[in-house]
Amino acid sequence: TFSSLTNNKPTVNLPPGPPHIPIITTLSWLRKSFSQLEPVLKTLHAKHGPIITLKIISRPSIFIADHSIAHHALIQNSSIFSDRPKPFPTSIIMSCNQHTISSAFYGATWRTLRRNLASEMLHPSKIKSFSEIRKWVLDTLIIRLKSASESEYADSVTVIPHFKYAMFCLLVFMCFGERINHEKINDIDRVQRSFLLSISKINILNFWPKVTRILLHKRWEEFLKLRKDQEDVLLPLIRARKQAKESRLNNLNTYVDTLLELELPEEKRKLNEEEMVSLCLEFLGAGTDTTSTALQWIMANLVKYPDVQRRIVEEIRDVMGGDDKGEKKEVKEEDLHKFQYLKCVILEGLRRHPPGHFVLPHAVTEDVVLNGYLVPKTGVVNFLVAQMGWDSRVWEDPMEFKPERFLKDETFDITGKKEIKMMPFGAGRRICPGYTLALLHLEYFVANLVWNFDWKVPEGGDVDLSETSEFTVVMTNPLKAHISLRM
Ligand code: HEM
């Protein structure tokens, strides 16, 4: 399936794909969002097989839809398939010359930045040190949902803004160590969102940048203003943290604190402020929209399938003991390991509705042959996450929401080390480093949301599971639920 191609390259072809007409094909692909690309890819995979090539901006973009080929690449040959493609000019600006974990080439800088996040923030003991803040965010979320559900006009509550706000408060606190006020949270959310919503407009700037700098100079200015706005909002928070650290005002270790300490191995220097802005935005961006999107999809399924919701409540009741909720209003995070069915619900949610339908684009460190085709160093390698989770050769009734399928597979490994059956967090060395935190957030919030409230379809309403691709793949019609306190 796989071989390295160092010397004496035999003639191996790129994976098959549709014909390429320079400029015209590129422009037509660039205009498409990933969600528009998905149905096209499905047709192309049906015609050409599980590994295909599209030419976008003269680079071959390879798309892999098969789980065992993904395993060969990402797990068995992880060190070769863990690079990132050469960045576009706009990404170089946003990531400060690839000084973020997700954008860095496979090498010493990436390793340092990733290890810092993994060991200083996401190690179980560090995650535990933020448990108080999770309780505070949960309490705030419950108060907000309760008051929204009691408002005079509300037969139903649109939940996603509340979920997003909760996830944002959590990650902002982990990043800056402050219970930042509502206004500031909205500011951070605004600068991040306005960038994400402009991505398709910004992408066009990368097509022949020398020309677009002249012809689309207004759009370039708008893009640079977006970046400037991000710095204006985040720099004061980073500087405040630096001051607090210098005057030892606070002994909590936040993400900014770890960044202030960090030394870049290749450049032998500390991070500058702009790089810290990019890293903080990456931290917030990677951990908020993804988790709140997943939370909304899971809750939507619990509203649509009351039996699943009832089963979670019964499981919590069994573990917590008796019907009397009394003081036991909170499902504590240290008890979460006892809830097996809840875990299955979260996994099924991530399989059926992965927040990202693709992992971030990968690249190879050298030309290789995969499944009989050339994967060139100059190419981009994409993996079709959603298609793998919906593969009928691996999953029975793949489009159904059936959490109990995971009960049979108690040791299911979401990291796909032995076998990739689904990969909502990616796989291999570039696997999402935040996956344990994300699973904790999902389990903790889903458990407590159904323990505190009964979630129902509003009168005359419906739960529509259609998808729209934004930064993540979200519900086209956001979940509206009738929420009442569970007595
Ligand atoms: C449900 C929630 C989440 C999902 C579905 C998710 C999914 C993903 C995926 C698919 C990737 C790309 C993997 C690849 O390129 O092969 C990724 C990368 C990443 N994620 Fe997550 N993620 C989630 C939550 C988080 C959280 C909570 C954090 C941190 C606090 C985080 C931080 C990152 C970072 C830093 C990367 C880049 C890793 C690298 O390039 O080495 N993510 N995530």
Side-chain angles (χ1 to χ4, degrees):
T1 307
F2 172 84
S3 65
S4 176
L5 256 189
T6 35
N7 310 315
N8 294 334
K9 293 180 188 178
T11 33
V12 185
N13 292 328
L14 285 169
H20 175 69
I21 312 161
I23 301 185
I24 296 178
T25 332
T26 291
L27 275 176
S28 85
W29 290 129
L30 274 182
R31 281 227 197 84
K32 288 193 190 350
S33 67
F34 262 123
S35 67
Q36 291 168 308
L37 203 64
E38 248 185 308
V40 183
L41 287 172
K42 210 171 164 193
T43 317
L44 291 173
H45 277 296
K47 186 167 170 200
H48 299 286
I51 165 163
I52 61 168
T53 312
L54 302 180
K55 289 233 174 87
I56 306 178
I57 318 196
S58 78
R59 298 185 199 180
S61 276
I62 293 167
F63 289 85
I64 296 175
D66 179 86
H67 56 102
S68 66
I69 303 180
H71 192 263
H72 274 289
L74 291 173
I75 303 285
Q76 295 173 35
N77 297 287
S78 199
S79 61
I80 293 176
F81 277 85
S82 294
D83 214 354
R84 294 283 186 220
K86 202 168 150 266
F88 291 126
T90 53
S91 327
I92 296 179
I93 294 171
M94 292 309 287
S95 67
C96 278
N97 269 323
Q98 292 148 280
H99 283 83
T100 60
I101 305 169
S102 50
S103 68
F105 288 132
Y106 184 63
T109 301
W110 167 75
R111 212 163 284 121
T112 302
L113 295 174
R114 184 170 167 122
R115 193 180 298 138
N116 175 62
L117 174 67
S119 61
E120 297 300 322
M121 298 304 294
L122 302 175
H123 184 272
S125 67
K126 308 284 170 162
I127 289 184
K128 210 164 167 211
S129 70
F130 291 97
S131 63
E132 231 175 80
I133 205 73
R134 281 186 285 276
K135 170 82 171 82
W136 170 68
V137 169
L138 173 68
D139 291 345
T140 313
L141 175 62
I142 286 175
I143 291 168
R144 286 174 63 129
L145 287 175
K146 193 162 170 278
S147 99
S149 68
E150 283 165 356
S151 116
E152 239 178 285
Y153 309 101
D155 174 50
S156 67
V157 180
T158 305
V159 293
I160 190 68
H162 300 289
F163 290 175
K164 278 192 177 156
Y165 186 74
M167 291 306 141
F168 225 78
C169 289
L170 271 179
L171 277 267
V172 163
F173 188 90
M174 290 180 80
C175 199
F176 303 110
E178 284 181 49
R179 296 186 188 192
I180 290 170
N181 66 35
H182 188 64
E183 227 169 84
K184 197 86 196 172
I185 295 257
N186 285 344
D187 274 351
I188 305 176
D189 187 30
R190 175 180 52 78
V191 292
Q192 193 154 47
R193 196 151 303 280
S194 49
F195 169 72
L196 292 175
L197 292 177
S198 317
I199 279 183
S200 58
K201 265 171 88 182
I202 290 172
N203 274 347
I204 281 287
L205 300 176
N206 295 314
F207 178 66
W208 237 345
K210 279 193 188 129
V211 177
T212 62
R213 274 198 198 267
I214 300 163
L215 291 183
L216 298 175
H217 72 100
K218 270 238 145 60
R219 205 179 282 191
W220 266 103
E221 275 171 26
E222 282 170 31
F223 163 67
L224 293 173
K225 165 99 177 30
L226 286 175
R227 172 67 196 179
K228 168 91 177 43
D229 286 349
Q230 295 184 335
E231 287 177 7
D232 288 347
V233 170
L234 291 199
L235 275 178
L237 292 165
I238 293 173
R239 287 179 187 153
R241 195 65 217 166
K242 192 170 176 192
Q243 253 183 3
K245 201 164 156 38
E246 276 160 9
S247 48
R248 297 178 204 284
L249 279 176
N250 201 325
N251 56 11
L252 190 81
N253 209 29
T254 69
Y255 191 42
V256 172
D257 295 341
T258 69
L259 298 177
L260 287 165
E261 294 290 317
L262 211 59
E263 180 131 348
L264 293 170
E266 285 168 317
E267 295 152 80
K268 303 217 171 352
R269 63 168 176 87
K270 296 220 154 173
L271 292 165
N272 64 37
E273 284 188 329
E274 288 72 31
E275 289 161 349
M276 286 191 223
V277 168
S278 293
L279 282 157
C280 290
L281 284 168
E282 171 181 66
F283 181 81
L284 300 174
T288 51
D289 260 21
T290 44
T291 315
S292 52
T293 301
L295 186 57
Q296 175 176 232
W297 281 117
I298 293 166
M299 293 311 296
N301 279 285
L302 298 189
V303 174
K304 201 169 176 84
Y305 305 112
D307 282 350
V308 179
Q309 188 180 158
R310 192 169 331 112
R311 216 168 147 181
I312 301 180
V313 176
E314 280 166 13
E315 184 176 59
I316 299 175
R317 199 169 280 146
D318 283 349
V319 170
M320 309 261 282
D323 275 2
D324 173 24
K325 280 181 63 178
E327 284 302 296
K328 297 177 188 157
K329 281 209 194 77
E330 187 206 0
V331 179
K332 294 208 162 60
E333 57 182 61
E334 53 271 27
D335 288 331
L336 288 171
H337 68 275
K338 299 177 190 161
F339 302 109
Q340 203 193 352
Y341 184 71
L342 170 71
K343 250 181 209 83
C344 300
V345 171
I346 307 297
L347 289 175
E348 180 69 344
L350 290 167
R351 181 196 69 81
R352 180 60 188 82
H353 305 282
H357 281 201
F358 298 84
V359 299
L360 298 173
H362 282 235
V364 284
T365 49
E366 57 181 274
D367 290 358
V368 290
V369 178
L370 181 68
N371 223 42
Y373 297 113
L374 172 69
V375 179
K377 190 169 155 44
T378 49
V380 179
V381 191
N382 300 285
F383 296 86
L384 278 76
V385 171
Q387 292 307 323
M388 288 184 216
W390 303 341
D391 186 341
S392 57
R393 293 169 307 163
V394 179
W395 303 97
E396 209 181 296
D397 301 329
M399 301 318 274
E400 302 288 311
F401 190 82
K402 285 187 181 169
E404 54 286 2
R405 65 173 90 237
F406 286 97
L407 281 176
K408 294 182 213 132
D409 197 352
E410 261 179 55
T411 53
F412 182 79
D413 173 18
I414 203 160
T415 66
K417 274 196 201 90
K418 275 206 195 119
E419 181 191 6
I420 292 178
K421 287 186 164 177
M422 64 185 209
M423 45 184 277
F425 296 105
R429 296 187 194 187
R430 286 276 183 175
I431 193 173
C432 172
Y435 79 89
T436 31
L437 182 68
L439 291 174
L440 167 66
H441 286 165
L442 290 172
E443 288 173 17
Y444 182 64
F445 284 94
V446 170
N448 279 295
L449 288 176
V450 297
W451 187 233
N452 278 275
F453 299 108
D454 187 10
W455 295 70
K456 286 201 182 114
V457 183
E459 281 271 323
D462 185 23
V463 179
D464 172 10
L465 298 178
S466 325
E467 301 167 336
T468 296
S469 176
E470 287 182 2
F471 169 54
T472 52
V473 177
V474 298
M475 293 179 75
T476 310
N477 295 306
L479 173 65
K480 286 183 175 195
H482 178 85
I483 306 176
S484 52
L485 277 180
R486 203 179 278 286
M487 293 303 172

